Amino acid sequence: MTTNASSYGVDGDKVQIAAGVTADSVGKVKAGELVNFVAQQVGGKGGGKPDMAMAGGTDAGKLGAALASVQGWVSERV
């Protein structure tokens, strides 16, 4: 299984999140579920395809903790 890729940006209190999941990982980790997991923690929501998704949020102060929780979320699924 190849790792997924994610990126984020912050503009004031607004957060933008993107995630990509390789084809061999989509059966276990879906990009839309991943961005929603992070977005919910920063006051937002998102969506997309199983291999690529984007989300936004309104609480940039919680982004660090949200990103730190991704590894555990992914580990539960692989």
Side-chain angles (χ1 to χ4, degrees), residues 1 12 17 21 23 29-30 32-33 40-41 46 48 52 54 57 60-61 65 67-68 73-75 77:
M1 174 176 285
I17 305 156
V21 176
V29 177
K30 293 186 175 34
E33 293 174 2
Q40 288 174 0
Q41 296 178 66
M52 179 60 106
M54 297 181 71
L67 294 174
W73 185 90
V74 172
S75 295
R77 286 153 179 79

Side-chain angles (χ1 to χ4, degrees), residues 5-23:
S6 59
S7 65
Y8 63 91
V10 176
D11 182 12
D13 287 335
K14 294 183 181 179
V15 178
Q16 294 293 319
I17 305 156
V21 176
T22 57

